Amino acid sequence: MSRVVVIGATGHIGSYLVPRLVRAGHDVVAVSRGSREPYVATAEWALVERVAADRDAEEAAGTFGRRIAELGADAVVDLLCFTPDSAQHLVDALRPARPLLLHCGSIWVHGRALRVPVTEDEPRTPFGPYGTGKANIEELLHRETRIGGVPAVVLHPGHISGPGWPVITPAGNLDPEVWRRLATGEPQALPDRGLGILHHVHADDVAQAFELALHRPGAVGSSFHVVSAQAMTLHGLAAGVAAWFGREPVLEFVDPAEFERRYGAEHARATYEHTERSIAASTARAREVLGYAPRYSSLEALKESLRWLVDHGQVDVGGQSF
């Protein structure tokens, strides 16, 4: 048994990871900003030590890293780090004890895909603050490992899906009306003939990869994609969702200006940010080194997500069952 500290424990990934770690016999410390309960409540949470910490405020005060280090972990899982400064603050505090550090990255460390499936060895060409920040953190952590400091593993999830929160739709955005249009047979416009690519992953499959990485010494110093077995095009996702309702999708392929005119700048921008990258990520390294085996396909992950959204009144599918 080892002592594992999970930062961001009640979020998308942590809600699944913490119970997994408890079932595996680990002593788990769940660090989260407030008293919010996990997305999935299970009996295992009664066996978890809970610690409340406001990371932003405590980093500004220079105390967050020290608080984490004082928890005496054998491994620290950081699910909530977005800037190199934040990563460096934690690494500096952990360096004396050198616990294993597992960091949650993103497939957006890759920019516009040139070869698919994209492997972890592809040169980093991120753009935008999120992807660039994650790529810089990845570089920092691998450098730290190489010089004999804190040993680190970086896991890069795709579009994380599951019950409890809005997920990226087959139109590459968070517009809840996309689900209704596909469910009821209304026209749904897509840019680029629907050939943009999304690579979803269920949050429990991401949690699976983090749990596996704790026990794979050969993973230290490496990065791993954590996604479903196959990426899908917008067209393919739309067809899959419509089929849940016994329909063929009614799709209209339009240019970007028309897409924005129909659905607004916010949704159009999100769609463009996803399709401009069109990342289909390889899982070969994760399968070989970690033993990663995703349970959910992209469509299966989305179906579970949609059921929750409908059941909780966040999406209207015209009262149809699926």
Side-chain angles (χ1 to χ4, degrees), residues 49-72:
E49 179 182 347
R50 302 287 291 269
V51 173
D54 184 330
R55 184 173 193 158
D56 291 341
E58 294 187 27
E59 281 184 351
T63 60
F64 181 76
R66 183 171 68 251
R67 279 196 71 193
I68 299 302
E70 288 173 351
L71 293 171

Side-chain angles (χ1 to χ4, degrees), residues 9-40:
T10 58
H12 299 166
I13 303 166
S15 292
Y16 290 92
L17 176 60
V18 168
R20 279 178 166 271
L21 297 177
V22 172
R23 290 193 294 270
H26 296 288
D27 175 19
V28 181
V29 182
V31 180
S32 57
R33 183 171 183 173
S35 57
R36 188 187 77 182
E37 290 304 304
Y39 287 102
V40 181

Side-chain angles (χ1 to χ4, degrees), residues 101-123:
L101 176 58
L102 305 181
H103 171 80
C104 184
S106 168
I107 59 171
W108 278 21
V109 296
H110 303 289
R112 299 172 184 87
L114 301 179
R115 288 170 285 274
V116 292
V118 178
T119 72
E120 293 87 347
D121 294 326
E122 193 75 10

